[in-house]
Amino acid sequence: MELLQRLALNDEPTVRLVVGAGRAGTVAALDAKSAALVRLGALLSVGAATASCRVTVEVARAAGATDQEIVAVLVAVAPVVGGARVVEAAPRLALAIDLDVEALDEPFESH
């Protein structure tokens, strides 16, 4: 809880430490897969570029995440970010997981 308090108070050394930790991949309370999936959710939420998503997808896969888990991240953030952001992010995520985006232009058959 001290960490959260320091962040809330904008303690500069703590903020620098946390931001640097994210880049280095050391998030103490989360395993590598969970940390990568959380990062991916944040990237998708803010409209990050495909290249950023792809790097994070690769880290998540290396940590054992499946494509289903990766797509589930987009579904998990949907209620928070809204439909428009999800539709905007879906093609970038598709490219990041090497899905054929040309197939996205084909009509979708509802079941």
Side-chain angles (χ1 to χ4, degrees):
M1 290 303 177
E2 181 182 345
L3 175 62
L4 181 57
Q5 183 179 19
R6 289 178 179 273
L7 290 171
L9 294 172
N10 196 23
D11 178 65
E12 189 175 329
T14 303
V15 172
R16 272 197 310 247
L17 177 69
V18 169
V19 171
R23 288 192 193 123
T26 56
V27 181
L30 297 176
D31 60 74
K33 180 172 103 173
S34 296
L37 293 174
V38 168
R39 279 192 203 104
L40 180 60
L43 289 169
L44 294 170
S45 294
V46 299
T50 300
S52 297
C53 293
R54 184 181 309 267
V55 168
T56 306
V57 163
E58 290 172 3
V59 170
R61 281 179 172 162
T66 65
D67 285 351
Q68 290 77 17
E69 290 171 315
I70 291 166
V71 172
V73 169
L74 182 59
V75 173
V77 300
V80 177
V81 300
R85 180 67 66 150
V86 169
V87 171
E88 176 192 18
R92 288 194 315 275
L93 183 58
L95 286 169
I97 63 172
D98 298 321
L99 186 67
D100 179 13
V101 292
E102 296 298 322
L104 297 176
D105 289 331
E106 296 174 8
F108 178 73
E109 282 189 29
S110 177
H111 290 81

